[in-house]
């Protein structure tokens, strides 16, 4: 049943001929919770990598989430309650992948790089490693895949960042540029970097 719910949601958002897919929307995650042997709660997270004619990124707005919620609810009603005389009883939440949330798909990494190029800026990410180390505002230079589908998270990313180091023959620390290939398996979370000014 859970897989059927996920496939239904994916077909609505990303299916052939879908208005949402035409605008660049895609499903990041569909979480289903069960109680008493039936799905009683569905949580859908969507993102968008579309670009307007003016070159601006298309975002996922509240109105989009509301319209998607209605459409998904109507279709899931038939999936979760196949008997026409019985109405499906489930809670549905549709939300956008929020600021600061970890990137979960390769398409989200490509979205960051694409939007940065359109806006003529460098794509930046924050990385939290499993050992507690952090890299904030590292420039995302490249993405490496090791098979799988385009939806899969990349096997590694290449980043560039600056650190203050004491160089030989110097009395003060200086800013030094470093490049590093990071296995995403070594990172607890990678998220898009935002600066609020």
């Amino acid at each position: 049943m859970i897989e059927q719910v996920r496939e239904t949601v994916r077909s609505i958002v990303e299916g052939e001929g879908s208005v949402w897919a035409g605008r660049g929307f895609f499903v990041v995650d569909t979480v289903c919770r069960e109680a008493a042997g039936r799905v009683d709660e569905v949580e859908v997270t969507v993102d968008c990598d579309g670009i307007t004619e003016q070159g601006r990124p298309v975002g996922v707005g509240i109105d989009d989430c509301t319209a998607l919620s209605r459409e998904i609810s109507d279709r899931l009603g038939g999936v979760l309650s196949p008997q026409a005389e019985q109405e499906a009883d489930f809670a549905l939440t549709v939300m956008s992948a929020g600021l600061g949330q970890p990137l979960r798909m390769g398409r989200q990494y490509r979205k960051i790089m694409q939007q940065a190029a359109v806006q003529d800026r460098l794509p930046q990410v924050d990385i939290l490693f499993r050992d507690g180390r952090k890299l904030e505002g590292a420039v995302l230079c490249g993405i490496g895949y090791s098979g799988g589908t385009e939806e899969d998270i990349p096997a590694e990313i290449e980043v560039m960042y600056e650190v203050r180091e004491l160089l030989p023959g110097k009395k003060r620390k200086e800013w030094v540029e470093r490049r590093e290939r990071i296995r995403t398996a070594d990172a607890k979370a990678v998220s898009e970097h935002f600066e609020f000014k």
Side-chain angles (χ1 to χ4, degrees):
M1 182 62 73
I2 290 176
E3 199 50 48
Q4 201 173 0
V5 168
R6 288 186 175 130
E7 282 305 313
T8 302
V9 169
R10 190 168 299 281
S11 71
I12 292 167
V13 179
E14 301 176 12
E16 192 173 322
S18 164
V19 174
W20 302 104
R23 291 180 54 201
F25 280 66
F26 58 96
V27 178
V28 174
D29 196 16
T30 302
V31 176
C32 300
R33 293 179 183 86
E34 292 182 298
R38 65 180 183 84
V39 174
D40 70 341
E41 193 175 339
V42 179
E43 192 175 275
V44 179
T45 305
V46 295
D47 205 343
C48 182
D49 58 6
I51 301 289
T52 66
E53 290 176 9
Q54 295 79 26
R56 293 195 176 123
V58 175
V60 179
I62 293 172
D63 292 341
D64 297 319
C65 290
T66 302
L68 253 174
S69 182
R70 278 192 217 108
E71 193 172 336
I72 292 170
S73 182
D74 289 346
R75 290 266 295 277
L76 284 183
V79 171
L80 296 175
S81 179
Q83 294 86 14
E85 68 278 354
Q86 195 176 21
E87 190 174 322
D89 183 24
F90 64 95
L92 173 65
T93 305
V94 176
M95 63 186 147
S96 68
L99 295 177
Q101 284 188 349
L103 304 175
R104 302 184 61 171
M105 301 176 69
R107 192 166 171 180
Q108 289 178 296
Y109 283 87
R110 284 189 298 283
K111 169 192 159 186
I112 290 173
M113 294 184 83
Q114 174 188 11
Q115 289 180 352
V118 167
Q119 296 170 354
D120 197 29
R121 63 178 174 81
L122 296 171
Q124 294 186 312
V125 293
D126 294 331
I127 303 166
L128 174 62
F129 292 89
R130 295 192 185 284
D131 63 6
R133 183 173 65 117
K134 291 181 185 179
L135 277 180
E136 294 182 4
V139 175
L140 184 60
C141 301
I143 304 171
Y145 290 93
S146 62
T149 68
E150 73 170 22
E151 308 306 327
D152 291 337
I153 198 148
E156 58 184 30
I157 57 175
E158 184 176 352
V159 294
M160 179 181 66
Y161 56 94
E162 290 185 334
V163 292
R164 288 183 57 101
E165 290 183 359
L166 186 60
L167 300 174
K170 301 286 183 176
K171 293 184 180 184
R172 293 186 186 159
K173 288 185 176 182
E174 295 186 12
W175 287 104
V176 178
E177 185 179 288
R178 294 278 182 236
R179 285 179 94 96
E180 187 176 343
R181 289 186 79 85
I182 298 168
R183 290 178 357 109
T184 50
D186 295 337
K188 185 174 182 180
V190 178
S191 55
E192 186 172 5
H193 177 77
F194 290 97
E195 283 185 22
F196 299 98
K197 295 181 179 180

